[in-house]
Structures are given as C-alpha cells and as structure tokens.
Amino acid sequence: MATLSPPKLIATDLDGTLLRSDGTLSDRTRAALAAAEHAGIRVVLVTGLPPRSVPELLAGIGPHFVIAANGAAVYAPDGTLAHMSPIRPLAATRLVTRVRRVLPGAAFAVEYDGGFGHEPTYPTWSFGEEAAEPVGTAGELLTRIPGRPVLKILAYHPTLPLDDFYERALCTAGSNAETTYSTGLSLVEFSAPCVTKATTLLEWSGRLGVGSDEIAAFGDMPNDLPMLTAVGHSYAMANAHPDVLRAASHRAPTNDEDGVAQVLEGFVDTLSSSQRV
C-alpha cells in the first residue's frame, strides 16, 4: 500500500471503520492509535453516535477527543463536554411537522445532550436493550423538558425503502436541517443546519492550528461524506457505501482487516524513517 506524507491529524469514523463488524476494537488498531499519538499525530474520533455513548467509547478505545452526533457535540478525552450545536426548539418542531405531513407513518426519536427519547412506534431494535426515556409523541419529546438541548432527530419509516425515504426527507428538510443516514436501514438523521462531521472537525482542528490539507479522514457511510470531501487525504474503507468509495481519494482495507490501523502504521513508519535520516 502506498504511503502518503503523514498528516498532523487523523479523523476516523467508528462503526464500519475503526471498529470491527462485531463492534470491537482490535489490539492492532489500539496499538496503531497509540503509536500515532506517540509520533505526534493527533487522533479524533468522529461519529454519528450520540453523547450517551461517549463514556463507553472513551473507556473502550482510549482518551481521545470525540466529535459525536454527526458533529453536534465535542468531548475532551476526559469526557468533558467542550462544545455543543443543538437544534433550535422551534426549528425542531417545524421539521418534525413537515416530515410527518409529507411522509405519513414516520416515527421519531430524539437524542438529547445526555439521553434519548422516542415515540411508541419507533422500533426498539434501533436502540437495543438501552432504557430510553421519555416515551411520547415527537411534540412531547421536543417540549416536555424545556431547555433540554436536542442534538439529533431520527426518523424511521416502516414501509419506504431507505433511498426513497432519505431523498424525500432531504427535500422536505431543505436548508432547515442537515439530513443524512448511517445505516442500511430506513433511518434518517437530522442535525442543525450547517452542523456536520466536517464543519465541526474543521472548526476544532483550526483552533489547533491544523489545516484541512493536514488531515487524513476515514469513513464508510454517507454521513462521513462531508468530512471526507473536506480534508486533504480521504480514505474510504473497502467495505464502504458506493457513494463513499466514489468520493474518497484513497481506499483502506476493510474494517475487519484493521484497515485504519494498516494506514496509520504506514504513517508512523514514514515518520520514523524520516527521523533516522
């Protein structure tokens, strides 16, 4: 595999990218992340997963910065909230109203700054065995607890294929929300306007003095596209969605082959070689 000049910062998605298909982090990948940091390459985890997942991520992967909820929140390596970009309450209510009118049958869930609520018809397989409170209509979820920040709204449709559901949801939301998806199921995700993995990553890295051309990003699903197209070196996993494979400038082996680790090892080897010269 050809190795490019090492970047100053690595931004990596998690599910389907850094993590194996069973959700675990391999010893090889853990070692590669540590070696990259030791070599002076910053690592940030950039995920669609919500804030409630951050403590478990940090415990399982290690102390890295985390950009969560598709860019709506940034957490320091100790789990402290550093930044948040919620959806405005009135905008959230109007968005749900429009989507429900255009796509009857849709069911909604809400990711808060530290919790999760859903409508009764929202599928339980989406959140597994986790307790989700409150349960109620979308209107209740958005207004029952005044002042509780909403970072992401999720919509599920029981009959529409994902592509159809996504395109119609995208047209309905327009510029009033960022619309994306990250699974092969009929789930669509909404964030505040102009809040993506890319916008938050570039704002955060800019404060560190790292330019977009000095970043290498890894991803596998459409919610990674803004990030991959905004950085200097973009890597699609070999198992990635076709749109991601077309958009990225480089390809890494699959997540189950520790593809991110393989690329990072090449970066670290290059740095080590240059230091020996």
Side-chain angles (χ1 to χ4, degrees):
M1 180 188 307
T3 302
L4 298 174
S5 298
K8 290 185 178 180
L9 187 147
I10 296 293
T12 178
D13 175 53
L14 297 180
D15 291 330
T17 300
L18 189 72
L19 303 179
R20 289 186 168 178
S21 296
D22 62 1
T24 62
L25 184 75
S26 72
D27 290 340
R28 180 179 184 179
T29 298
R30 189 184 307 279
L33 292 173
E37 293 260 13
H38 182 72
I41 303 173
R42 294 178 180 269
V43 174
V44 58
L45 310 177
V46 188
T47 179
L49 293 172
R52 56 194 167 92
S53 300
V54 170
E56 183 179 355
L57 291 177
L58 293 174
I61 299 176
H64 303 287
F65 273 92
V66 180
I67 295 174
N70 288 333
V74 180
Y75 290 85
D78 64 359
T80 304
L81 177 66
H83 178 74
M84 184 168 55
S85 299
I87 306 173
R88 295 180 182 275
L90 181 58
T93 301
R94 288 175 173 172
L95 173 66
V96 168
T97 300
R98 285 195 301 270
V99 173
R100 200 188 297 281
R101 182 176 63 246
V102 174
L103 295 161
F108 294 89
V110 174
E111 293 286 1
Y112 301 106
D113 57 330
F116 176 70
H118 66 95
E119 292 190 311
T121 54
Y122 190 82
T124 56
W125 48 254
S126 171
F127 52 91
E129 301 299 321
E130 299 176 56
E133 295 293 342
V135 177
T137 67
E140 292 171 338
L141 297 176
L142 295 171
T143 60
R144 182 180 296 174
I145 308 175
R148 188 173 193 181
V150 171
L151 298 187
K152 189 164 68 167
I153 297 172
L154 301 98
Y156 163 77
H157 203 282
T159 59
L160 287 176
L162 174 58
D163 288 346
D164 189 13
F165 184 35
Y166 167 69
E167 291 297 334
R168 294 170 67 179
L170 177 65
C171 290
T172 302
S175 61
N176 297 295
E178 291 294 331
T179 308
T180 189
Y181 64 94
S182 58
T183 75
L185 305 169
S186 284
L187 287 176
V188 172
E189 307 169 24
F190 302 101
S191 302
C194 302
V195 174
T196 67
K197 289 185 175 185
T199 57
T200 303
L201 171 64
L202 296 186
E203 180 181 352
W204 176 77
S205 61
R207 291 199 296 268
L208 300 176
V210 177
S212 61
D213 60 331
E214 299 173 306
I215 301 173
F218 298 80
D220 73 307
M221 287 298 288
N223 66 329
D224 296 315
L225 285 169
M227 175 175 71
L228 294 174
T229 55
V231 301
H233 310 290
S234 55
Y235 287 82
M237 310 308 292
N239 53 283
H241 187 282
D243 290 349
V244 175
L245 291 170
R246 284 190 290 268
S249 53
H250 307 283
R251 188 170 299 188
T254 69
N255 61 321
D256 288 325
E257 297 174 294
D258 300 326
V260 174
Q262 291 192 44
V263 177
L264 295 191
E265 289 163 357
F267 289 150
V268 172
D269 286 347
T270 299
L271 282 173
S272 298
S273 297
S274 65
Q275 292 167 358
R276 289 195 298 267
V277 174

